[in-house]
């Protein structure tokens, strides 16, 4: 039986359809990734699965329990790491976890044991009695992961677990996730903007504007592209797009300053294209598929939208944790 099962799920906020009829399932022990740009509907989906939001229509179940009818049972089966940090900076690492353990009804002895195990799994055993205020962003995220697994969840939800962290800390967190999966067999549902991270998932679904536009293993999705991605830059991308369609019968996608084209043998087609086109080409590149190419070929845009500030989340993360108290 699937650990997460979602059927024609819809969530509307007034005129905005945040989740637009998605269906998928996640099997026990899988690491399943939800990949999509800002506003795609990732956090909304997690909120529904974690019973924090009611769906507008459709069904969702987690651990075999319906997210609406059996919300209490769902809550007992899951751990959550929210997109926005939720630790109490004025408490120690231990106190943060103890508070959480009490919420789950653990007695002090059981709580101590589980807290020690969880802290050691994320490599924070030596920092147990330090105030969280003194922790780095990466340490805080690790502490939140420790908190998320205290109740031995069947399914662990992680909304952007690594956002705003440096690549080294992100790798560390990935190691913990793999350890966790190996040692506890927990099912992980996570969201990310980072395409490199989606490669670590057993399966991913690509979500855009509330719809799942592709799903499968990372290599299945890349294989679906059947070949290489050519990018041609030109002052007149529209003209280029129509010339390629007319002369070569190939569809290309217009994007920032040029076009993108997916072909089986880029090395053969590229010279022919350049010889045959009259539109002035200013730059050319060819790449073998990455997940970003999958996204680009499906939506015509990069997963990080133009003008987005990759450090924006880090700045707001720093503000929330170090200022204002
Ligand atoms: N409580 C709410 N009220 C109104 N609109 C909302 C609410 N929560 C989300 N939305 C809207 O729903 C859409 C999806 O938002 P959601 O937070 O699920 O996206 P996301 O994929 O998690 O994005 P991000 O990558 O930025 O975290 C957005 O258009 C957002 O503005
Ligand atoms: Mg989100």
């Amino acid at each position: 039986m699937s650990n997460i099962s979602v059927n024609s799920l819809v969530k509307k906020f007034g005129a905005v359809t945040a989740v637009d009829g998605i269906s998928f399932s996640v099997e026990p022990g899988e690491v399943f990734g939800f990949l999509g740009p800002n506003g795609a509907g990732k956090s909304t989906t997690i909120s529904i699965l974690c019973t924090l939001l009611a769906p507008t229509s459709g069904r969702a179940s987690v651990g075999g329990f319906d997210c609406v009818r059996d919300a209490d049972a769902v809550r007992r089966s899951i751990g959550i790491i929210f997109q926005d940090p939720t630790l109490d900076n004025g408490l120690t690492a231990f106190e943060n976890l103890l508070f959480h353990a009490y919420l789950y009804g653990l007695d002090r002895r059981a709580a101590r044991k589980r807290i020690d195990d969880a802290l050691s799994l994320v490599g924070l055993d030596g920092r147990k009695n330090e105030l969280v205020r003194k922790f780095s962003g990466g340490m805080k995220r690790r502490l939140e992961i420790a908190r998320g697994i205290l109740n031995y969840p069947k399914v662990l939800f992680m909304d952007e677990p690594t956002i705003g962290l440096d690549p080294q800390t992100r790798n560390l967190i990935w190691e913990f996730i793999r350890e966790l999966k190996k040692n506890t067999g927990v099912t992980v549902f996570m969201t990310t903007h980072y395409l490199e991270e989606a490669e670590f998932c057993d399966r991913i679904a690509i979500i855009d504007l509330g719809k799942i536009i592709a799903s499968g293993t990372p290599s299945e999705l890349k294989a679906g592209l059947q070949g290489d991605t050519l990018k041609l830059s030109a002052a007149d991308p529209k003209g280029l797009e129509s010339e390629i369609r007319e002369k070569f019968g190939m569809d290309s996608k217009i994007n920032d300053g040029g076009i993108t084209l997916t072909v089986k043998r880029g090395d053969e087609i590229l010279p022919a294209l350049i010889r045959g086109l009259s539109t002035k080409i200013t730059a050319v590149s060819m790449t073998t598929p990455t997940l970003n190419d999958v996204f680009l070929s499906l939506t015509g845009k990069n997963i990080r939208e133009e003008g987005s500030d990759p450090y924006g989340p880090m700045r707001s993360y720093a503000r929330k944790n170090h200022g204002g108290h």
Side-chain angles (χ1 to χ4, degrees), residues 234-248:
D236 178 15
K238 276 214 176 86
L240 181 59
E241 189 266 343
S242 52
E243 199 189 354
I244 291 177
R245 190 160 18 85
E246 281 155 23
K247 286 197 177 147
F248 294 89

Side-chain angles (χ1 to χ4, degrees), residues 29-319:
E30 268 191 318
V31 176
F32 188 85
F34 237 32
L35 183 69
N38 287 126
K42 304 182 297 293
S43 294
T44 304
T45 304
I46 285 203
S47 295
I48 295 170
L49 293 175
C50 295
T51 76
L52 302 171
L53 272 179
T56 305
S57 64
R59 306 275 303 257
S61 70
V62 171
F65 303 109
D66 187 276
C67 293
V68 176
R69 275 181 295 122
D70 296 323
D72 285 341
V74 170
R75 278 181 215 147
R76 279 193 296 271
S77 321
I78 62 174
I80 318 173
I81 291 132
F82 292 101
Q83 182 164 1
D84 294 322
T86 57
L87 292 166
D88 190 327
N89 283 320
L91 298 180
T92 64
F94 176 74
E95 288 163 346
N96 264 285
L97 299 197
L98 189 64
F99 179 68
H100 197 77
Y102 286 162
L103 290 182
Y104 276 101
L106 295 174
D107 66 40
R108 197 172 173 93
R109 241 184 76 145
R112 276 185 178 277
K113 166 92 176 78
R114 288 199 191 187
I115 290 171
D116 286 345
D117 290 349
L119 285 175
S120 109
L121 185 83
V122 300
L124 285 175
D125 17 6
R127 319 296 289 256
K128 184 171 162 179
N129 295 313
E130 269 177 52
L131 285 182
V132 167
R133 182 176 293 127
K134 296 185 190 163
F135 280 16
S136 69
M139 288 163 68
K140 286 183 186 176
R141 219 48 181 150
R142 278 145 64 190
L143 184 58
E144 289 193 300
I145 293 174
R147 189 182 57 185
I149 59 176
L150 269 189
N151 61 320
Y152 296 165
K154 249 196 231 169
V155 185
L156 181 61
F157 290 93
M158 297 197 282
D159 200 355
E160 312 274 354
T162 55
I163 196 135
L165 302 175
D166 61 83
Q168 210 179 340
T169 311
R170 278 160 54 192
N171 284 339
L172 206 62
I173 288 188
W174 269 103
E175 267 171 42
F176 299 139
I177 296 172
R178 278 195 291 261
E179 280 286 287
L180 193 68
K181 182 184 151 171
K182 205 173 77 198
N183 296 340
T184 68
V186 69
T187 303
V188 175
F189 181 97
M190 60 163 304
T191 70
T192 184
H193 286 83
Y194 297 115
L195 292 145
E196 321 85 86
E197 296 198 339
E199 305 264 353
F200 293 122
C201 298
D202 297 314
R203 278 192 307 133
I204 56 178
I206 299 180
I207 179 166
D208 188 38
L209 302 172
K211 288 192 160 76
I212 291 178
I213 53 177
S215 63
T217 65
S219 45
E220 274 167 6
L221 287 175
K222 287 190 278 187
L225 280 181
Q226 336 170 348
D228 306 317
T229 302
L230 302 179
K231 289 176 189 168
L232 306 185
S233 305
D236 178 15
K238 276 214 176 86
L240 181 59
E241 189 266 343
S242 52
E243 199 189 354
I244 291 177
R245 190 160 18 85
E246 281 155 23
K247 286 197 177 147
F248 294 89
M250 295 191 290
D251 286 330
S252 54
K253 289 240 156 66
I254 300 176
N255 66 301
D256 39 348
I259 60 102
T260 310
L261 192 63
T262 305
V263 293
K264 272 214 167 69
R265 292 292 308 265
D267 52 342
E268 287 175 3
I269 288 167
L270 192 57
L273 269 179
I274 291 176
R275 260 184 271 117
L277 291 169
S278 57
T279 308
K280 193 170 177 320
I281 313 283
T282 53
V284 177
S285 72
M286 184 176 92
T287 39
T288 49
T290 65
L291 284 173
N292 193 49
D293 297 318
V294 176
F295 193 78
L296 198 59
S297 81
L298 291 166
T299 66
K301 63 189 179 196
N302 284 297
I303 200 150
R304 283 188 183 286
E305 292 119 312
E306 243 183 303
S308 77
D309 173 4
Y311 297 104
M314 199 187 303
R315 273 203 275 281
S316 70
Y317 193 89
R319 251 199 319 275

